[in-house]
Amino acid sequence: MTAVAELMDYAEVIERFDPVLGLEVHVELSTNTKMFCGCENVFGGDPNTHTCPTCLGLPGSLPVVNGKAVESAIRIGLALNCEIAEWCRFARKNYFYPDMPKNFQTSQYDEPIAFNGYLDVTLDDGEIVRVEIERAHMEEDTGKSLHVGGATGRIHGAEHSLLDYNRAGVPLIEIVTKTIEGTGERAPEVARAYVSALRDLLKALDVSDVRMDQGSLRCDANVSLMAKDATEFGTRTETKNVNSLRSVERAVRYEMTRQAAILADGGSIKQETRHFQEADGSTASGRTKETAEDYRYFPEPDLVPIAPSREWVDELRGTLPEMPAVRRKRIQEEWQLSDAELRDLLNLGAVDLIAATVDAGATSAEARAWWVATLAQEANTREVDLDALPITPAQVAEIIALVNSGELTNKLAKQVATGVLDGEGSPREVVEKRGFKVVSDDSALLAAIDEALAAQPDIAGKIRDGKVAAAGAIVGSVMKATKGQADAKRVRELIIERVGSGS
């Protein structure tokens, strides 16, 4: 059983140490085929069905660079304000692991395609932090190992391991920051905000689906601490493959408190990779961290260098979409949001969903009401992110349209949304399957009103005496009689007319 690590109180960590971060984000590109072969680039599938001699590293097979992946790499570099190399090449990164069948990874080492950029990141209170980018380089993903048996799901203690090479050779861009200093107590928040901003940028570029839950966006968080009077960086650890925004923040915070406790006790930090434990937010030791020399990089002999022309780079610059920060400012003005309201929507992850719902025909106010209230509550109940709910902005807009046309009441609309979330089909299909139809025939409503008034004869007198609120009891009875399918506003109007006329 692994011993529980000693942790220092976070306030004391900040008082005694300065955190230093370095973030490496791997993003899988959504190209049709893999990086160096023609195999289909899709998530999942039966194990080892999207493979060929090239991505399996079989003798005699030769790689060919995916042109679309190079284009995506350049567009990512431009969006990150990077310089684009006029000449660069691939290298072999040599190491053995069963999920990498070639025993080397085709990557870029000292000659990346994009370098020396930056990304401005907005924190929760509106403060902007500039994160400088060291490089963005192209490489290929590895396969996946499934360790069966044991308590942790890792290789230690497992009874046996299974290998799936479907992911081997998938195009990757690794985006590496320069050292991030001076963030103090906000270091974990900066890490989360950076990955969030990067995810938004990549999504806007439409180069990846950026699904952290499926591993198409993964963050390696490097953390070290410097004593307040130190002049040199401390020894870093690298927490690998953190796959949610919340986990990035938790991993950085945990490492700060763990390392501080060790240093305060006179110990030293071991340079190693660590694994994030989702259950309790801790990290666990992985393996000793290799250096560049350990990988014995050398130029890839089977691939020619890449030399993008300046004309092509300028052409790709012209394809860049509206950047997320610019888009947010425009949306804030169009939707007439305060800074606090915009931050709340951003923190909820609702801006893109609301915008897409508006594009599908709803007003911004209607879309906000649905995503921020009804659907945010559903996401909380189902313990998923808002954008992971199984309902699309177009479907939300369709539900709103059904309400506006009078075909659904607000109450019925929420039930329709639940039906869509539960997999019952489109909003229209849910309406038909559940038999939802607003009772708009006045004669049918009057019959229900008369029945309710007969059952509660004192209500009519109260209404005639000016106590209009008493009509609520009759409205409730009519709504119950019509199974919630009556327009409550119209029912109230008819009750006032009915009682007022003395009928």
Side-chain angles (χ1 to χ4, degrees):
M1 183 176 178
T2 304
V4 177
E6 292 291 332
L7 304 177
M8 180 181 287
D9 180 75
Y10 192 72
E12 186 179 354
V13 175
I14 301 305
E15 182 181 337
R16 299 179 60 172
F17 299 96
D18 289 322
V20 178
L21 305 181
L23 302 171
E24 303 170 14
V25 173
H26 295 79
V27 54
E28 290 183 350
L29 300 178
S30 52
T31 53
N32 292 328
T33 56
K34 292 186 180 181
M35 189 70 202
F36 301 113
C37 67
C39 289
E40 189 178 11
N41 176 23
V42 292
F43 176 78
D46 292 335
N48 301 306
T49 54
H50 302 303
T51 58
C52 72
T54 299
C55 56
L56 290 176
L58 299 184
S61 60
L62 291 173
V64 177
V65 174
N66 185 324
K68 185 66 175 179
V70 176
E71 176 184 306
S72 296
I74 294 173
R75 294 179 72 238
I76 290 171
L78 291 171
L80 290 171
N81 306 290
C82 288
E83 299 176 47
I84 305 300
E86 296 188 12
W87 187 95
C88 63
R89 58 183 171 179
F90 286 96
R92 290 189 179 185
K93 181 180 181 181
N94 296 275
Y95 66 97
F96 170 78
Y97 202 76
D99 63 12
M100 200 169 63
K102 297 187 298 187
N103 286 339
F104 65 85
Q105 180 185 30
T106 305
S107 181
Q108 290 189 302
Y109 174 45
D110 55 345
E111 298 163 310
I113 193 165
F115 56 94
N116 196 28
Y118 66 87
L119 180 62
D120 287 333
V121 174
T122 304
L123 304 186
D124 291 345
D125 63 357
E127 180 184 344
I128 296 177
V129 174
R130 174 161 292 187
V131 176
E132 296 187 331
I133 306 298
E134 176 73 34
R135 56 194 279 142
H137 66 259
M138 299 178 287
E139 59 185 25
E140 61 182 335
D141 212 342
T142 61
K144 294 179 68 175
S145 301
L146 176 64
H147 305 298
V148 181
T152 64
R154 302 197 180 278
I155 193 168
H156 299 292
E159 296 174 359
H160 62 276
S161 298
L162 301 174
L163 295 171
D164 179 7
Y165 292 118
N166 280 347
R167 197 178 69 180
V170 166
L172 273 183
I173 303 297
E174 181 176 353
I175 302 166
V176 182
T177 69
K178 295 182 179 179
T179 301
I180 304 172
E181 304 175 65
T183 55
E185 66 179 348
R186 305 194 76 171
E189 181 188 351
V190 169
R192 171 180 54 80
Y194 166 74
V195 178
S196 177
L198 187 57
R199 184 182 67 168
D200 290 344
L201 181 67
L202 295 166
K203 189 173 183 180
L205 290 170
D206 195 27
V207 294
S208 171
D209 64 9
V210 291
R211 289 284 301 272
M212 297 189 77
D213 60 315
Q214 294 182 356
S216 55
L217 184 71
R218 314 188 290 271
C219 177
D220 297 343
N222 293 272
V223 180
S224 66
L225 295 178
M226 296 174 62
K228 289 291 184 179
D229 57 351
T231 57
E232 296 183 359
F233 293 151
T235 302
R236 65 184 173 89
T237 62
E238 180 181 17
T239 304
K240 300 284 288 185
N241 296 328
V242 187
N243 63 1
S244 77
L245 299 178
R246 178 170 177 264
S247 296
V248 169
E249 184 170 9
R250 294 172 75 200
V252 170
R253 187 182 181 97
Y254 180 86
E255 271 302 287
M256 288 171 63
T257 57
R258 186 190 70 85
Q259 291 183 24
I262 293 172
L263 295 172
D265 197 38
S268 59
I269 304 302
K270 182 169 64 173
Q271 183 170 322
E272 62 180 353
T273 62
R274 298 183 67 83
H275 301 294
F276 182 69
Q277 311 295 314
E278 196 72 50
D280 60 4
S282 65
T283 65
S285 180
R287 55 181 170 80
T288 302
K289 178 62 177 174
E290 294 91 346
T291 64
E293 289 75 16
D294 295 323
Y295 290 122
R296 296 182 296 110
Y297 282 101
F298 64 84
E300 169 56 70
D302 292 333
L303 291 169
V304 298
I306 294 172
S309 69
R310 295 304 90 181
E311 292 78 14
W312 187 36
V313 172
D314 288 340
E315 180 184 333
L316 292 177
R317 194 188 305 274
T319 70
L320 297 182
E322 184 180 32
M323 292 295 102
V326 176
R327 180 168 176 264
R328 284 196 294 269
K329 185 175 181 180
R330 174 179 59 78
I331 283 175
Q332 182 176 9
E333 293 174 355
E334 290 179 356
W335 296 356
Q336 298 181 330
L337 301 174
S338 67
D339 290 344
E341 288 173 328
L342 178 62
R343 283 199 299 272
D344 287 343
L345 293 181
L346 290 170
N347 293 336
L348 187 61
V351 171
D352 288 341
L353 296 168
I354 294 171
T357 306
V358 171
D359 290 342
T363 68
S364 61
E366 291 168 336
R368 283 170 58 196
W370 270 89
W371 286 105
V372 173
T374 304
L375 294 171
Q377 185 177 353
E378 286 283 355
N380 185 57
T381 301
R382 296 167 188 252
E383 298 183 340
V384 298
D385 291 336
L386 196 60
D387 60 3
L389 284 174
I391 189 170
T392 66
Q395 289 172 328
V396 175
E398 184 180 350
I399 294 172
I400 292 171
L402 290 171
V403 174
N404 291 341
S405 69
E407 294 182 64
L408 289 179
T409 64
N410 286 323
K411 182 177 180 180
L412 288 178
K414 292 178 181 179
Q415 294 180 48
V416 170
T418 300
V420 174
L421 290 167
D422 289 341
E424 296 177 24
S426 68
R428 181 67 68 180
E429 289 171 338
V430 174
V431 169
E432 293 175 357
K433 288 178 182 177
R434 296 196 178 192
F436 290 158
K437 186 177 180 181
V438 173
V439 179
S440 55
D441 180 2
D442 283 359
S443 61
L445 293 176
L446 285 170
I449 289 170
D450 289 342
E451 185 176 339
L453 286 170
Q456 305 175 71
D458 58 320
I459 297 296
K462 292 180 180 179
I463 296 173
R464 292 192 188 97
D465 291 340
K467 298 178 181 178
V468 181
I474 303 300
V475 173
S477 296
V478 173
M479 295 302 292
K480 184 176 181 180
T482 59
K483 298 181 180 179
Q485 294 175 226
D487 183 339
K489 182 179 178 181
R490 181 57 181 158
V491 170
R492 182 177 292 274
E493 291 172 351
L494 290 173
I495 292 171
I496 302 301
E497 292 176 10
R498 199 66 155 174
V499 172
S501 66
S503 300

